[in-house]
Amino acid sequence: ALLLYIFYRRGGKEPLGINISTCAKLVKQAAPIALCDIFIITYARVDQIMLQGMLGKESLVGIYNFATRFAEVLRIIPLAFMASIFPSLCRAYEQKRASFEEAYRRSFKYMSLICIPVAFASILLSKPLILAVNGKYVAGAPILTILLFAEVFVFLGIVNNRLLVSSGRQTLDILFTGASAAINIMLNLLLIGRLGMAGAALASLVAYATGPILGLLIPFTRPFSMAMFRASLKPTGAASIMLLAVWLSAARFGLLASAALGAAVYLGAIALVRGLDREDATLIRSVFHKV
C-alpha cells in the first residue's frame, strides 16, 4: 500500500480505484493455486499431527519432526530453480511449444540429477549425518532416508506444478494435490498404529508419488509424467552404482572418503550413460562463468 501511495504521489498516470473485472479474473486464476496450497500444507503436515494424536509420545514426534525438517531443507533447490525459469516457461508456452517441451524435459533432468543421488546416499549416510548434527535424534535415521526418497517426488512435483501454471492448467493440480492429501490421511490412519514413525514416512512417500502416477492417466499431463519418469532412469542407475561403491569402500577408507569416492563414481556414471549432453555442459559452464 505504501509503494502504491508513493507511485501515485510521484505522478502515476492511472487514477486509484478498483477494477472489478480485473479483480474477478485474478481471483479466478489464483483460486486453484490457493486451493492446491491448502492441500499441500495438509499432506505436508498431517503426518506429524496424526503421529502426535495416535501415539501421544512427544519424543517420537520430536524425532520425526527433526527428520522432516532436515529433508525439507532441500526444497529450496527446485523452488529457486523453477522461480528463475518460470517467466521463460510462460513465454515459451505462448510462443514456441518446442522450446516449452525442451525446457520441461531439462528441468526434470536437472532435478533428477540432484535429488536421486541424495536419496540413495541417505541409505548409508543418514545415521552419521544425524550423529554429526545432533546425536539424540539418531533414531530418526531410517525415517530421514524414507523422507528423502519422498523428496524425489517433491522435486519433480514442484516442476510439474509450475508447468501446469505456466500453461494455464492450474485447475488440474487440484486433482493431484487433493488426491495426495486424501491418500496421505488414509495411509497414516492405516500405518501409524502398526509401524509408528516409519508408517507416517511411508504414507508421505506414497502420497507424494501419487501426482506423477495420476498424471499418466490425463492426456494433457501425460507428456509431463512421461518426461519425469524418463529423466529419472539414468540418475537412478548411476546412483545405484554410487551406492555400491560407497558400501564397498566405507570399511576400508572411512565414510567421509568413501562418500567423496561415491560422488566421483556418480559423476563418472552419469558421463558414461550420457546423462548430460553438450548443451547441458554449455549451460553449466555459463553458470560457473557468471559466478
Side-chain angles (χ1 to χ4, degrees), residues 63-75 118 125-126 128-134 137 140 143-145 147-148 151:
I63 292 171
Y64 187 86
N65 286 349
F66 178 82
T68 299
R69 301 295 188 212
F70 215 111
E72 288 178 349
V73 168
L74 296 174
R75 294 183 189 179
V118 171
L125 301 181
S126 283
L129 188 60
I130 293 178
L131 283 172
V133 177
N134 194 328
Y137 295 111
I143 308 306
L144 178 58
T145 297
L147 292 175
L148 284 173
E151 286 299 308

Side-chain angles (χ1 to χ4, degrees), residues 108 156-164 173 176 224-225 228:
F108 284 130
L156 301 178
I158 289 172
V159 176
N160 193 65
N161 170 268
R162 300 307 187 268
L163 293 177
L164 291 173
D173 210 26
F176 302 141
F224 300 164
S225 291
M228 188 185 305

Side-chain angles (χ1 to χ4, degrees), residues 11 26-27 58 90 122 132 147 149 202 219-220 235 266 268 271 276 282:
L26 291 174
V27 169
E58 292 290 342
C90 295
S122 71
L147 292 175
F149 272 94
L202 288 170
F220 182 80
Y266 176 73
L276 293 172
T282 301

Side-chain angles (χ1 to χ4, degrees), residues 162-236:
R162 300 307 187 268
L163 293 177
L164 291 173
V165 175
S166 63
S167 58
R169 301 297 183 95
Q170 54 264 40
T171 53
L172 287 174
D173 210 26
I174 297 174
L175 172 63
F176 302 141
T177 55
S180 295
I183 288 174
N184 203 0
I185 292 171
M186 289 188 293
L187 288 179
N188 274 302
L189 288 171
L190 291 172
L191 298 178
I192 287 178
R194 300 178 182 179
L195 301 176
M197 294 188 297
L202 288 170
S204 294
L205 174 59
V206 175
Y208 293 161
T210 298
I213 295 172
L214 281 178
L216 293 170
L217 305 178
I218 300 173
F220 182 80
T221 58
R222 189 174 297 129
F224 300 164
S225 291
M226 291 297 294
M228 188 185 305
F229 287 115
R230 288 194 190 103
S232 67
L233 293 178
K234 290 180 180 179
T236 298

